[in-house]
Amino acid sequence: MSVGIVMLVHTALGRAEQVARHWAAAGCPVVIHVDKNVAHSAYNSFVQSLADVPHVLFSKRFRCEWGTWGIVAASQSGSELMLAEFPQVRHVYLMSGSCLPLRPVDELIEYLEDRPQTDFIESATTSDVPWTVGGLDQERFTLRFPFSWKRYRFLFDAYVDLQRRLHLTRKMPRGLVPHMGSQWWCLTRQTLSAILEDPERGQIDRYFRQVWIPDESYFQTLARQYSINIESRSLTLSKFDFQGKPHIFYDDHLQLLRRSDCFVARKIWPRAGKIYQAFLTDAATALKRTEPNPGKIDRIFAKAVERRTRGRPGLYMQSRFPNQDWENGATAGPYSVFQGFSELFENFEPWLEKTTGARVHGHLFAPERVEYAGGQTVINGALSDSAKARDYDPNAFLTSLIWNTRGERQCFQFGPRDRQKINWKIAKDSNAQVSVISGAWSVPLFKSNRNFADIRKEAALLQKIENKHLDLLRSPQNKARVRIWTMAEFIEAPMEPLQSILDEIGHASSRRLSEVPKMVDLNGFGQFLQNLKNQGMHPHLMGDFPVEHGSNQSPPAPRKPYLVQ
């Protein structure tokens, strides 16, 4: 009887009975605390089911709720009964009803007998604990928390805010240094009895009653006062996710638990029959004798946390969808956005598709409908050409399009006439390749047969929209690969920019381009811009266009494109 087990049980009483019998069969006395929230009928049945097992006792019941004093009171009650009724016990092991021994009990007994004066309890100062979730690291000891965080969240937060505003604080009793750690410990009789029989226990208990989550600090702090030798670790395998919630082990974690070399694991799903069968009844499959090393499986848990928080690139999921900028890549793969090219070149889309082998769409964000390649009305992933469905969530539309067509390069046209809500999404997406011929939106106006007053009004509006878009593309937060040319400089030497764009897309042919798509007739375009100026509108995004194309006035010299890495 060198090891005594204190179990805190609140659910799955059948599994708790099975585990208690396993400990008792190996010669370990067991004291069980059953949460007062459990109905009397269920409690009485549970007590009766273990009546035939020697050295199994039940302690005084307390109402246990996460983050409150009841869990500490239950641990104290069970420990006091254990120390009083079983004087041969040298170590007391605290566990929950969902814990399960992974190795033969004899190995745990031998392990602790070789370390008779060692306390196994995770105990670190608040400055050394990186895993607290929800804040209140130091404040959990200096403020009061009379309200339940789970049941009275509004009162909990309001009272914390009130204490902060009034600068209400309190000090630790007799200069104790607060420590934190896992609530699942294994303490020696000497240390545990010193904590429970402390002459100032009444004052200490009153203080910790209003500490937030005292079960992670009460024994962890007091053990530092009395222990001869502390190993700041728990012998129980207990893993938590990024939100501070415990991982639950299911049947498919069986081999993972075998690899941990730990004595006890928490939290086991009550219906994980294979795990309970393997570790409670099959001695041949017991873990080999070795030092407990939960770090061996930390890499697997780290990958699980990364998958949950970051996910796959371009695939949004519940655990990260509400959090802005949590995406692991805004989209699933590279894509290209062309602004002004279809206005400046005839049949640009068929030429680009033939040259690159990519799927080239029209204006995906046109106000009337989604202009899919080939005039399709529905595309991969059942994405329709409905502008209303697309505009409900433009970001999700683009993300879904790239995800559902991954493996195939997507190209589409964009311009100031399109819906602009997608602009920032594209600018922040490192997968986006954006090529802009600024001012090219004016070519359709130049070719239109409309009243000039209407043309001037629309030109002013479109220039304002495009100018705002260019500011986003030049933003320091921009992550897209951006190239910007004015219309004037592009038409002076179109071969070089087109070649650089195709090279980046991944042009299959190694040959240099020998021709470009046919450019629209711009005869008289310079005078058109001058007419806009004469009527009070300054078309500056087109660049330095001569009034008469082909006159004695020299054309603008070609310049290098504006490049945003």
Side-chain angles (χ1 to χ4, degrees):
M1 291 188 181
S2 61
V3 180
I5 306 299
V6 175
M7 293 180 60
L8 305 184
V9 180
H10 72 283
T11 186
L13 303 184
R15 287 300 188 190
E17 176 193 348
Q18 189 177 356
V19 173
R21 288 181 178 273
H22 181 80
W23 287 111
C28 295
V30 180
V31 173
I32 301 176
H33 173 274
V34 180
D35 192 336
K36 204 169 184 179
N37 290 308
V38 175
H40 287 291
S41 58
Y43 171 74
N44 293 332
S45 298
F46 182 45
V47 173
Q48 187 62 35
S49 68
L50 287 168
D52 62 317
V53 183
H55 308 307
V56 174
L57 301 178
F58 288 83
S59 65
K60 180 182 177 181
R61 300 174 67 191
F62 292 87
R63 195 174 304 278
C64 298
E65 184 176 348
W66 183 87
T68 62
W69 173 254
I71 299 176
V72 177
S75 303
Q76 290 175 330
S77 174
S79 299
E80 287 171 337
L81 184 59
M82 175 65 71
L83 297 178
E85 296 296 326
F86 303 102
Q88 302 92 338
V89 166
R90 180 180 291 130
H91 278 89
V92 176
Y93 197 120
L94 181 68
M95 59 179 290
S96 75
S98 62
C99 289
L100 180 69
L102 303 183
R103 295 166 63 170
V105 178
D106 290 342
E107 289 191 16
L108 175 61
I109 294 174
E110 292 178 14
Y111 186 84
L112 294 176
E113 284 180 346
D114 291 340
R115 299 159 179 82
Q117 293 184 317
T118 301
D119 295 289
F120 297 91
I121 180 170
E122 193 174 53
S123 176
T125 60
T126 54
S127 60
D128 297 326
V129 173
W131 36 256
T132 54
V133 176
L136 299 175
D137 292 336
Q138 186 63 37
E139 284 183 321
R140 67 180 66 200
F141 298 105
T142 60
L143 302 181
R144 291 176 173 81
F145 300 90
F147 302 107
S148 167
W149 183 83
K150 285 195 171 184
R151 286 189 296 134
Y152 306 111
R153 182 65 181 272
F154 175 79
L155 292 175
F156 181 96
D157 292 339
Y159 194 56
V160 168
D161 290 340
L162 177 63
Q163 292 177 88
R164 287 171 175 170
R165 288 198 302 269
L166 298 179
H167 303 289
L168 299 177
T169 60
R170 57 189 187 138
K171 295 181 179 180
M172 290 282 290
R174 64 175 184 184
L176 293 177
V177 178
H179 284 69
M180 297 176 60
S182 169
Q183 73 177 100
W184 311 114
W185 41 255
C186 179
L187 297 177
T188 63
R189 170 181 285 271
Q190 182 177 351
T191 299
L192 185 57
S193 61
I195 293 174
L196 297 175
E197 297 170 4
D198 191 308
E200 297 182 11
R201 177 179 162 183
Q203 178 188 358
I204 295 172
D205 287 3
R206 283 192 297 273
Y207 170 82
F208 275 96
R209 280 180 184 273
Q210 295 193 23
V211 167
W212 192 41
I213 320 180
D215 52 286
E216 293 183 354
S217 59
Y218 180 85
F219 290 98
Q220 294 75 4
T221 298
L222 296 177
R224 289 289 177 179
Q225 302 296 308
Y226 299 107
S227 177
I228 297 174
N229 180 34
I230 283 184
E231 286 198 19
S232 185
R233 62 188 176 102
S234 174
L235 296 179
T236 299
L237 173 64
S238 182
K239 295 293 184 180
F240 295 85
D241 64 14
F242 75 106
Q243 293 177 318
K245 297 179 180 179
H247 282 288
I248 299 176
F249 294 102
Y250 301 93
D251 278 336
D252 51 357
H253 293 120
L254 177 58
Q255 297 305 319
L256 184 70
L257 293 175
R258 292 188 189 281
R259 292 171 55 189
S260 71
D261 297 330
C262 291
F263 289 111
V264 178
R266 181 185 185 273
K267 213 177 178 180
I268 310 298
W269 188 44
R271 297 169 70 177
K274 291 182 180 180
I275 291 181
Y276 281 94
Q277 174 71 18
F279 292 111
L280 294 185
T281 62
D282 189 359
T285 62
L287 296 176
K288 62 180 181 293
R289 294 172 181 264
T290 184
E291 185 71 19
N293 184 17
K296 291 172 62 176
I297 61 175
D298 283 348
R299 177 177 57 86
I300 298 175
F301 281 92
K303 284 188 175 181
V305 171
E306 182 180 9
R307 173 57 62 89
R308 183 178 177 190
T309 55
R310 291 180 60 79
R312 286 174 282 178
L315 182 61
Y316 285 83
M317 58 193 196
Q318 178 271 338
S319 60
R320 63 193 176 96
F321 181 76
N323 303 290
Q324 185 177 2
D325 297 328
W326 270 36
E327 66 269 3
N328 178 17
T331 49
Y335 60 96
S336 299
V337 182
F338 293 90
Q339 184 164 328
F341 287 78
S342 58
E343 289 80 5
L344 191 59
F345 294 102
E346 297 178 1
N347 300 317
F348 174 75
E349 295 160 22
W351 171 84
L352 182 64
E353 185 167 351
K354 180 180 178 181
T355 305
T356 63
R359 189 185 304 196
V360 182
H361 306 280
H363 288 258
L364 292 181
F365 295 90
E368 300 81 12
R369 59 179 292 270
V370 182
E371 298 176 0
Y372 290 126
Q376 294 175 276
T377 57
V378 179
I379 204 172
N380 306 44
L383 295 175
S384 76
D385 65 347
S386 167
K388 184 177 181 180
R390 176 205 63 200
D391 294 342
Y392 178 78
D393 191 340
N395 292 347
F397 169 79
L398 179 60
T399 302
S400 298
L401 174 67
I402 304 303
W403 172 262
N404 290 308
T405 58
R406 57 194 183 280
E408 178 186 37
R409 183 74 172 228
Q410 303 297 306
C411 304
F412 63 91
Q413 318 304 311
F414 193 75
R417 291 185 178 86
D418 295 336
R419 301 299 189 195
Q420 300 295 304
K421 288 184 178 180
I422 197 65
N423 289 358
W424 191 231
K425 165 84 171 183
I426 295 175
K428 295 197 301 180
D429 188 0
S430 59
N431 282 324
Q433 175 197 357
V434 184
S435 303
V436 180
I437 304 175
S438 67
W441 47 263
S442 60
V443 175
L445 292 178
F446 166 62
K447 296 290 185 180
S448 68
N449 185 27
R450 298 169 57 184
N451 293 334
F452 200 80
D454 295 335
I455 292 176
R456 180 180 59 81
K457 182 178 180 181
E458 184 171 352
L461 176 61
L462 295 179
Q463 180 167 257
K464 181 179 180 181
I465 295 173
E466 184 173 68
N467 195 61
K468 185 177 180 180
H469 183 207
L470 295 181
D471 287 342
L472 285 180
L473 295 179
R474 295 184 175 110
S475 167
Q477 287 76 38
N478 170 73
K479 296 180 181 179
R481 175 78 171 178
V482 178
R483 287 183 171 89
I484 302 174
W485 299 267
T486 65
M487 185 176 167
E489 64 190 9
F490 187 92
I491 66 175
E492 290 298 327
M495 297 289 285
E496 182 179 350
L498 283 175
Q499 182 70 56
S500 63
I501 292 171
L502 298 180
D503 289 342
E504 187 166 317
I505 292 178
H507 182 33
S509 173
S510 60
R511 296 175 299 172
R512 301 291 294 178
L513 284 177
S514 58
E515 60 180 359
V516 295
K518 183 180 178 182
M519 192 177 296
V520 299
D521 183 10
L522 294 177
N523 187 32
F525 184 74
Q527 185 60 53
F528 169 75
L529 298 181
Q530 184 61 47
N531 292 341
L532 289 175
K533 293 180 182 179
N534 294 341
Q535 294 210 9
M537 187 254 172
H538 181 58
H540 62 90
L541 294 180
M542 298 76 177
D544 187 15
F545 258 92
V547 175
E548 292 295 334
H549 203 67
S551 68
N552 293 332
Q553 186 175 358
S554 299
R559 288 171 287 182
K560 292 183 179 180
Y562 176 89
L563 174 61
V564 179
Q565 297 284 354

